[in-house]
Amino acid sequence: MFHLAGVNRPQNDDEFIEGNFGFTSHILNTLKKHNNRCPVMLSSSTQAALDNPYGKSKRMGEQLLFDYGKQTGALTFVYRFPNVFGKWSRPNYNSVVATFCHNIARDLPIKINDPDTQLKLVYIDDVVEELVRALAGGPTKDGDYCTVPVVYSATLGRIAELLYSFRHSRKTLAVPDMSDMFEKKLYSTYLSFLPPDGFSYPLKANCDERGSFTEILKTPERGQFSVNITKPGVTKGNHWHNTKNEKFLVVSGQGVIKFRRIGSDEVFSINVSKDDMRVVDIPPGFTHSITNTGDSDLVTFMWANEIFDSDNPDTYYEEVIA
């Protein structure tokens, strides 16, 4: 049995005891009545260690379950959860992350009394994975208690800073650091709070008679991702790089990519089309071009290993075919 119910925002303090102790007592008495010794998991709180009405009521519920286990021999799993965050959480209730995500996604103000306040947090998917382990009889133990093994620590100020950066990323095209698991999970949580009319956002397309070039994503660790559209008969490129390198993937139309190593007269060609999904590496030191040889737009996804820097573009014009 998973006992996740509880009271945390009552009209008066007496409801803490009724909801967190009384209801637990009712559940356990019902199990006793039917001689059901199934394992019981209790969702408690780290506040059970504090001397406040809520903490006391949770601690009383814990002790009730421990005593029940000793009396009946049933397995008991008590989890003192810290702050839980993730999708489907309720804003303006008992999750500061949910409230921050909801407000920032809607350009509403947030309130922080002390940005240095440190929080311990667990992600809902990690909680569910741990409860599945408990269901299979292998909970993660920490003394008398069970625990979620993945716990994060962050200040209120840091959480707010990250969430504002997520909102601003639609303008900068920056991608959060997905190697930081807390940042990755917080970003997923933030996206789950977007209102439906805010799911999409515009990009700036750089257009001319040759077609267009549109940046999509940028990351300081993994470079940038763009989409290039080339009109029929048009050639783009005819430049080379010292260190910058790229990957091209044609997803619509057909064309040819040509290369010539700087200092050499030998030209290499690779035919590309939507019918042959192949990535073409663009190595440094080779001047290169892409030509649309079809009768429709040539659409190419392009990745570069670095974000474009107009002060140091590392791009030098030179025709592939002199």
Side-chain angles (χ1 to χ4, degrees):
M1 171 174 284
F2 289 96
H3 177 12
L4 304 171
V7 172
N8 55 22
R9 292 211 174 183
Q11 296 295 320
N12 58 72
D13 288 350
D14 291 341
E15 293 181 33
F16 279 132
I17 300 299
E18 181 182 345
N20 296 328
F21 174 79
F23 185 60
T24 301
S25 178
H26 172 71
I27 289 174
L28 299 181
N29 286 334
T30 302
L31 290 173
K32 287 180 183 178
K33 177 181 177 181
H34 293 280
N35 198 29
N36 187 332
R37 292 186 175 84
C38 71
V40 181
M41 169 270 172
L42 174 66
S43 171
S44 187
S45 165
T46 51
Q47 290 202 41
L50 303 180
D51 194 26
N52 58 46
Y54 174 67
K56 288 179 180 178
S57 68
K58 297 300 283 187
R59 193 162 61 247
M60 289 171 64
E62 292 176 357
Q63 191 58 52
L64 195 65
L65 185 59
F66 285 136
D67 292 342
Y68 168 82
K70 292 176 182 177
Q71 294 167 7
T72 65
L75 293 176
T76 58
F77 307 137
V78 177
Y79 287 86
R80 284 186 170 181
F81 292 126
N83 296 274
V84 182
F85 72 103
K87 61 185 178 299
W88 304 330
S89 48
R90 179 178 171 183
N92 302 309
Y93 187 58
N94 66 341
S95 168
V96 67
V97 173
T99 302
F100 281 8
C101 287
H102 176 272
N103 287 16
I104 291 173
R106 289 162 177 77
D107 291 330
L108 299 174
I110 62 172
K111 182 179 180 181
I112 302 177
N113 293 324
D114 181 3
D116 293 326
T117 298
Q118 196 82 24
L119 298 182
K120 296 291 185 182
L121 305 109
V122 289
Y123 184 56
I124 186 59
D125 288 18
D126 296 324
V127 172
V128 172
E129 285 184 10
E130 170 58 26
L131 296 187
V132 171
R133 283 192 289 270
L135 182 64
T140 304
K141 299 286 288 186
D142 183 9
D144 292 334
Y145 294 89
C146 300
T147 186
V148 178
V150 183
V151 182
Y152 300 101
S153 180
T155 63
L156 284 176
R158 176 58 176 158
I159 292 169
E161 178 186 359
L162 285 171
L163 293 175
Y164 278 118
S165 74
F166 299 159
R167 187 181 71 179
H168 192 52
S169 69
R170 289 186 163 191
K171 295 180 180 179
T172 64
L173 306 183
V175 176
D177 182 0
M178 296 300 169
S179 66
D180 182 321
M181 293 307 295
F182 175 67
E183 189 166 340
K184 176 183 178 180
K185 294 169 181 177
L186 187 64
Y187 183 58
S188 294
T189 303
Y190 170 77
L191 291 180
S192 74
F193 279 88
L194 290 174
D197 61 1
F199 284 1
S200 66
Y201 56 99
L203 296 173
K204 179 186 176 183
N206 301 287
C207 304
D208 58 26
E209 68 282 355
R210 301 174 302 160
S212 65
F213 180 78
T214 306
E215 296 174 319
I216 301 175
L217 299 174
K218 297 181 178 180
T219 105
E221 303 88 7
R222 298 291 185 269
Q224 73 175 51
F225 183 60
S226 312
V227 61
N228 183 74
I229 298 177
T230 307
K231 295 295 183 182
V234 169
T235 296
K236 287 186 174 182
N238 281 316
H239 59 237
W240 62 281
H241 316 291
N242 274 315
T243 302
K244 180 188 296 185
N245 53 86
E246 300 164 298
K247 294 180 183 291
F248 290 2
L249 172 64
V250 168
V251 297
S252 183
Q254 64 182 45
V256 60
I257 301 175
K258 295 183 178 180
F259 303 85
R260 179 174 58 80
R261 182 173 179 173
I262 298 302
S264 169
D265 295 328
E266 187 175 7
V267 175
F268 303 89
S269 298
I270 299 177
N271 292 317
V272 289
S273 80
K274 65 178 181 60
D275 298 321
D276 181 18
M277 298 290 273
R278 92 178 33 236
V279 173
V280 179
D281 273 316
I282 311 297
F286 283 81
T287 184
H288 53 277
S289 66
I290 183 168
T291 301
N292 185 344
T293 58
D295 54 10
S296 62
D297 285 350
L298 178 66
V299 181
T300 309
F301 285 172
M302 295 182 170
W303 171 84
N305 71 318
E306 60 186 38
I307 296 174
F308 179 74
D309 180 359
S310 58
D311 294 328
N312 183 28
D314 188 12
T315 301
Y316 306 94
Y317 178 81
E318 185 167 333
E319 295 277 349
V320 174
I321 301 177

